[in-house]
Amino acid sequence: MARRKNIEVTPDKVSPHTIKKFELIEKYVKDWAPKLLNYPNCKGIVFIDCMCNSGIYNDYLDKKVVGTPIRVAAYLADTMKTYPNKQAHLYFNDLSAEKIEVLKTRLPADANNFHITTRIGDGNDLLKTIRATNISHTHYLLVYDPNQASIDWVALSPFLRNWGEVIINHMVSDSIRGVSQAKSDATKAKYAQTYGAPVESLLTFRGKRDAYEKRIQKIITMLSTQTGKRYIAPFPFFNKKNSLVYNLIHCSGHIAGFKLFKKTAWKTFGGKSSTKNTYGNEKQPELDFNGTGELNTMTDEYCYYVKDIAKFIHDSFIGQQNVSLSEVWRLLDDHPTFPSDGYKPEIKKELKDIYRDIVSKKSITFTKRRA
């Protein structure tokens, strides 16, 4: 694609948790793309950002921040030089013509095997024009990132039903705040479309985050049943006030992508499962009065640490002897949040030091209770 002269506009402000989202998607693409391109049967990859903005922001100290499309395009343009016989197609869409013009000035040029398409309009319309065909040879990664709780399942369903990856930004904070205040028909229709239920039914959620989250995951599962299991990994993002803003939900038709995204998310968050600040409370002891009365440390379901992975493993195999490590890691493979890769040494150390489990090179013998 041809370069254009610089266009001066005032960049949007971007918050720390959104910068972290940029980092997560960029790191995942850097893991995802070469993994697929190295498969002999893979003819190419497709990356779609259907709500892309201009790609340039200012943080709250007025420091320039680069967004997802520029990060991903720069990386893939360079990476495809290593794969001359394979193709990469990138689609960037935004409602604002001005933002797309700004974005164009910062994107790399097209090459024989690297192509960028920019578009102005509704991102859902773009998805309806892209046919996810030849699935066995071309692999899709779709980033669906509206700035409110507005999801068009008709546009998303072909990508959810086929082998590929979809990352949905579920703006749960919008729903918690907005459903009970929805007055206009348009607003009510937006929430009804997103959650597949009339607003009157959603009022029974009473602002509960997990109710909205489970509803979204139920729809994803329902849309995916025709093509087998769909692996879903939701990760919450919190602002500086420690309020939940959105869930980034990764959906994959293959367990390899599911495992890879969980690992990448934990690495991006610095060895935990979210951007939430737990202020050291994860180290605070508490008694398990409903169980054995043993002394545990606090667990926050919106921000897990390696210690929580170890506890989950220990409780799952408690008292069992010579459990193979492969069986232990398989338990984590299917977990929606805990990674089975990236933290194995730390997990084994926690099992030995805290639970006094006997860890060998090939198996673990689990004690009946904490030492």
Side-chain angles (χ1 to χ4, degrees):
M1 106 183 243
R3 288 184 174 275
R4 304 196 179 197
K5 64 180 182 179
N6 287 335
I7 300 173
E8 294 297 327
V9 297
T10 302
D12 291 346
K13 289 287 187 181
V14 65
S15 55
H17 62 272
T18 299
I19 296 173
K20 190 61 67 175
K21 177 181 66 177
F22 297 159
E23 293 174 5
L24 172 53
I25 295 173
E26 177 189 17
K27 289 178 181 179
Y28 184 65
V29 169
K30 288 181 176 180
D31 290 332
W32 168 81
K35 193 175 184 71
L36 290 172
L37 291 168
N38 283 325
Y39 284 132
N41 291 335
C42 175
K43 291 184 177 180
I45 56 176
V46 177
F47 179 85
I48 307 168
D49 186 343
C50 52
M51 295 93 170
C52 68
N53 208 295
S54 68
I56 294 292
Y57 304 81
N58 282 344
D59 67 13
Y60 288 99
L61 297 176
D62 284 329
K63 180 181 178 181
K64 285 285 188 294
V65 176
V66 176
T68 299
I70 298 175
R71 293 173 186 236
V72 170
Y75 169 74
L76 290 180
D78 185 61
T79 296
M80 294 310 295
K81 296 173 184 177
T82 309
Y83 303 92
N85 297 321
K86 301 190 177 184
Q87 295 288 321
H89 294 269
L90 284 66
Y91 295 86
F92 297 125
N93 178 89
D94 198 86
L95 283 170
S96 167
E98 184 181 60
K99 289 179 179 178
I100 287 295
E101 289 302 314
V102 171
L103 177 62
K104 286 181 180 180
T105 67
R106 292 169 169 84
L107 293 175
D110 280 10
N112 289 334
N113 68 337
F114 176 80
H115 315 277
I116 297 178
T117 299
T118 57
R119 183 183 177 279
I120 302 161
D122 188 335
N124 296 304
D125 292 338
L126 168 65
L127 298 184
K128 292 170 185 176
T129 65
I130 299 174
R131 298 185 63 189
T133 56
N134 200 19
I135 305 302
S136 61
H137 301 295
T138 302
H139 302 275
Y140 290 74
L141 176 56
L142 164 61
V143 176
Y144 192 89
D145 192 3
N147 59 10
Q148 54 183 319
S150 179
I151 300 176
D152 186 336
W153 296 108
V154 173
L156 276 177
S157 61
F159 298 91
L160 290 170
R161 286 174 176 154
N162 291 311
W163 197 103
E165 317 261 334
V166 179
I167 298 175
I168 301 173
N169 188 350
H170 173 214
M171 293 291 295
V172 66
S173 59
D174 175 30
S175 304
I176 292 171
R177 179 183 62 253
V179 166
S180 61
Q181 301 175 2
K183 302 299 181 185
S184 70
D185 291 341
T187 302
K188 291 180 179 180
K190 178 192 77 171
Y191 291 120
Q193 174 180 274
T194 297
Y195 297 104
V199 169
E200 291 73 19
S201 296
L202 300 178
L203 290 173
T204 62
F205 291 177
R206 302 185 188 281
K208 294 180 180 178
R209 302 166 180 169
D210 58 342
Y212 289 106
E213 293 162 6
K214 289 177 182 177
R215 183 67 183 175
I216 291 293
Q217 292 183 44
K218 182 178 180 180
I219 294 173
I220 293 170
T221 301
M222 180 184 66
L223 290 174
S224 307
T225 52
Q226 295 179 5
T227 52
K229 185 173 181 178
R230 177 63 55 167
Y231 298 90
I232 303 171
F235 285 91
F237 281 72
F238 291 78
N239 61 21
K240 293 180 71 174
K241 296 180 179 180
N242 250 11
S243 296
L244 178 64
V245 183
Y246 50 76
N247 282 321
L248 207 61
I249 305 173
H250 176 263
C251 315
S252 177
H254 198 284
I255 195 169
F258 175 67
K259 291 168 58 179
L260 185 60
F261 190 82
K262 291 191 294 179
K263 173 186 173 181
T264 305
W266 276 68
K267 293 292 184 183
T268 303
F269 299 141
K272 56 181 185 173
S273 69
S274 79
T275 59
K276 186 175 183 180
N277 188 345
T278 54
Y279 297 105
N281 289 332
E282 74 280 359
K283 301 176 183 178
Q284 295 298 316
E286 62 176 7
L287 283 173
D288 178 18
F289 292 108
N290 295 320
T292 63
E294 297 169 348
L295 195 64
N296 295 313
T297 52
M298 294 180 64
T299 294
D300 187 328
E301 64 177 354
Y302 282 97
C303 191
Y304 293 113
Y305 291 82
V306 169
K307 70 176 185 66
D308 299 307
I309 304 177
K311 184 179 187 302
F312 171 71
I313 292 173
H314 178 82
D315 290 349
S316 298
F317 294 105
I318 190 166
Q320 297 185 37
Q321 297 184 353
N322 298 318
V323 179
S324 68
L325 285 175
S326 59
E327 184 177 352
V328 172
W329 305 137
R330 276 198 301 271
L331 176 70
L332 298 181
D333 283 347
D334 284 324
H335 195 280
T337 306
F338 295 160
S340 54
D341 295 320
Y343 294 91
K344 290 178 180 178
E346 295 90 337
I347 293 169
K348 288 190 286 186
K349 185 177 187 303
E350 190 82 11
L351 290 171
K352 287 191 294 185
D353 294 350
I354 303 301
Y355 298 95
R356 296 296 187 264
D357 294 331
I358 302 170
V359 181
S360 67
K361 290 184 178 180
K362 295 184 178 180
S363 66
I364 302 177
T365 292
F366 294 89
T367 59
K368 291 186 177 181
R369 54 185 295 158
R370 186 187 294 264

